[in-house]
Amino acid sequence: MKHVILGAGPAGVIAAETLRKHAPNDQIVVIGDEPEAPYSRMAIPYLLIGKVGEEGTHLRHTPGHFAALRVELRRGRAKTVDTAARAVVLEDGSRESFDKLLIATGSSPVQPPVPGITGPGVHTCWTLEDARAIMALAKPGARVLQMGAGFIGCIIMEALAMRGVQLSVVEMGDRMVPRMMGPTAGRMIKQWCEAKGVKVYTGARVDAIERPGSAAAAPAPAPAEPGLLSKLASAIGLGGAPAPAPAPAAAAASASGAMQVKLSTGQVLEADLVISATGVRPNIGFLQDSGITCLVGILTDEHLQTNVPGIYAAGDCAEAFDKVSGKTIVSAIQPNAAEQARVAALNMAGQSTSLKGVTQINVLDTLGMISASFGKWDGVEGGQHVELTDEANGKLLSLQFDHEKLVGCNSIGWTEHVGVMRGLVEGEVKLGEWREKLMADPTLLMSAYLATAQAQSAHAHIKPR
């Protein structure tokens, strides 16, 4: 049996290791499109602040790890999947046949169609190559402007701030992390960042990026595959026509050698470096004519199998069923990628295994302010909601209920409740009388969790006569 894995990130590596454990005699080929050893993108911020070197981003550190497992690592980028011939066609024209295929191609940054965004001095922060370019420019005192203040953007922002740069952040939404936190929480995070010296512009977008001595930049091409962005549109900054010629003040400032970044608010900011962190989208364009069903991501069943038998998907490119929302979603966080890869690999090895569900978890450290978001943090239709806010002490606790169940929550500063919130939401625990108690006092989460867990344990030990 030959297994081919497209993607050498966390999902691809975990799938290969799981396959080798449960299919010791099968052939395994992992195809990655970067000239690096398999690494974790989540480690890049630690590289930016100097906590690790490049080797510290690598997923496995033992020399010869993959060779010892008899896992072949191959470099290439998929052009298409020939489902009839059971082969992956690569961009260099070569083909890799398979019996079972796992697509774990991850996601890529979305570049908004802003005039000047493709020129020098503008970078995403997604690959090791990006990190090298950013470290060369983000020196102490450098003027850095970041586009986007979502979950990934805030992680990048913290790393940049720790490098000692003069940092400005521009976010289209009316608050920071708008797809993770409610209005009050998002506003509190913004105020916290501003108190730490970061300039934050919400309700604004970048309309143009101009460079010294150049005419107004030509518009960048629109992102490919617009049909794939229907659920990600809010993460994309929509640029308009090219901006008019610089005002005299902006033209004078350009003599300093800085880029002139024009905002939709009319403000013009100087920048030595611009970071684009406006969202990501699944890498699934190569599947367009393959017959593999894709919505926002690659649609999978509870076994992570696609509509084509023997072809699976996992990680940022996969769309899996979320039991909390009752819908299929793409949830681009590493714990999901790891679990989906494990389940997919077990099924590829012939061990029928089901995914328990997609974990909707985001825990974020923003310059020392800890925030968390679980499940349907924005609530469900007809549900109940309670919010406790203590802005003076930087605390917020917001709970969303659907009848007896806690279905989502936001928190800032309540770090002792993070595990409990996850357990109640993911466990779909029926709270009974504790729902009303939590509506009256949300800080009783730990008591509610212990009481309901004890009740469930007692019920499980009752044996019928």
Side-chain angles (χ1 to χ4, degrees):
M1 181 76 71
K2 180 179 179 180
H3 305 277
V4 171
I5 299 171
L6 285 178
V13 167
I14 289 171
E17 293 171 342
T18 305
L19 276 168
R20 175 54 68 226
K21 180 178 180 181
H22 296 278
N25 299 315
D26 288 359
Q27 183 181 358
I28 303 171
V29 179
V30 176
I31 303 175
D33 64 357
E34 292 188 56
E36 322 283 357
Y39 68 94
S40 169
R41 302 196 194 284
M42 295 304 295
I44 288 177
Y46 298 97
L47 174 62
L48 292 179
I49 61 177
K51 281 192 173 181
V52 300
E54 287 196 12
E55 69 284 352
T57 69
H58 294 172
L59 289 166
R60 300 294 180 263
H61 301 284
T62 304
H65 174 78
F66 296 100
L69 290 177
R70 292 177 291 113
V71 171
E72 178 187 349
L73 294 179
R74 177 179 177 184
R75 185 181 176 190
R77 183 185 293 268
K79 182 179 180 180
T80 189
V81 174
D82 186 338
T83 55
R86 310 292 284 185
V88 175
V89 182
L90 302 178
E91 287 187 349
D92 63 4
S94 64
R95 298 169 70 90
E96 190 75 58
S97 62
F98 63 83
D99 296 305
K100 300 282 181 69
L101 172 68
L102 174 65
I103 304 171
T105 46
S107 55
S108 294
V110 173
Q111 284 282 60
V114 174
I117 199 169
T118 58
V122 181
H123 297 277
T124 57
C125 186
W126 198 245
T127 66
L128 284 178
E129 184 178 359
D130 291 335
R132 296 175 192 126
I134 291 169
M135 288 189 291
L137 293 171
K139 303 296 185 182
R143 294 160 294 185
V144 179
L145 182 142
Q146 179 176 299
M147 302 165 55
F151 179 75
I152 293 172
C154 283
I155 295 172
I156 298 168
M157 179 193 71
E158 180 170 48
L160 291 169
M162 293 180 70
R163 290 184 66 85
V165 304
Q166 300 177 45
L167 183 59
S168 299
V169 177
V170 179
E171 166 57 46
M172 287 183 62
D174 63 353
R175 60 190 184 274
M176 294 187 71
V177 279
R179 284 163 291 282
M180 168 181 161
M181 308 299 287
T184 305
R187 175 173 51 79
M188 289 173 63
I189 294 172
K190 175 183 176 180
Q191 292 171 345
W192 176 269
C193 291
E194 290 176 330
K196 295 289 185 177
V198 179
K199 296 179 180 178
V200 182
Y201 302 83
T202 51
R205 69 174 184 273
V206 171
D207 276 351
I209 301 170
E210 296 178 1
R211 292 166 179 81
S214 65
E225 304 177 79
L228 298 176
L229 304 180
S230 59
K231 295 185 181 178
L232 299 174
S234 61
I236 304 173
L238 300 177
S254 68
S256 68
M259 290 176 282
Q260 306 301 302
V261 182
K262 297 189 172 184
L263 306 188
S264 58
T265 58
Q267 294 161 291
V268 179
L269 307 179
E270 287 188 313
D272 303 304
L273 167 66
V274 174
I275 304 292
S276 179
T278 55
V280 298
R281 67 178 174 211
N283 293 325
I284 58 176
F286 67 98
L287 299 174
Q288 184 172 353
D289 299 316
S290 67
I292 297 171
T293 300
C294 297
L295 300 177
V296 174
I298 304 167
L299 190 63
T300 63
D301 62 14
E302 68 273 21
H303 305 297
L304 277 307
Q305 187 168 227
T306 69
N307 63 303
V308 179
I311 297 181
Y312 298 77
D316 291 12
C317 66
E319 185 165 345
F321 182 75
D322 169 44
K323 61 184 179 182
V324 175
S325 66
K327 302 176 181 178
T328 56
I329 64 170
V330 175
S331 183
I333 60 174
Q334 194 160 308
N336 279 330
E339 178 60 12
Q340 290 173 6
R342 186 188 72 84
V343 171
L346 287 172
N347 284 292
M348 292 168 73
Q351 298 185 24
S352 182
T353 309
S354 296
L355 184 71
K356 293 182 179 179
V358 175
T359 299
Q360 293 191 73
I361 296 176
N362 286 304
V363 179
L364 185 62
D365 182 347
T366 309
L367 303 176
M369 175 173 271
I370 309 298
S371 58
S373 176
F374 294 90
K376 291 291 293 178
W377 60 267
D378 51 351
V380 297
E381 186 175 355
Q384 301 78 40
H385 168 237
V386 61
E387 183 169 294
L388 176 65
T389 305
D390 180 4
E391 293 196 38
N393 292 302
K395 285 193 168 187
L396 174 140
L397 192 55
S398 172
L399 306 181
Q400 301 283 350
F401 299 93
D402 184 7
H403 297 95
E404 289 186 275
K405 296 179 182 178
L406 180 68
V407 294
C409 42
N410 273 170
S411 75
I412 293 178
W414 295 94
T415 54
E416 66 271 29
H417 289 322
V418 169
V420 169
M421 287 188 285
R422 176 178 181 177
L424 290 173
V425 172
E426 288 193 343
E428 298 183 284
V429 176
K430 291 185 177 180
L431 293 165
E433 64 179 9
W434 278 99
R435 193 206 72 175
E436 293 304 320
K437 293 181 181 180
L438 290 172
M439 288 288 291
D441 184 356
T443 66
L444 296 176
L445 275 168
M446 180 63 76
S447 297
Y449 181 79
L450 293 174
T452 52
Q454 186 177 24
Q456 288 181 341
S457 177
H459 180 76
H461 283 84
I462 295 175
K463 297 181 179 180
R465 293 181 179 178

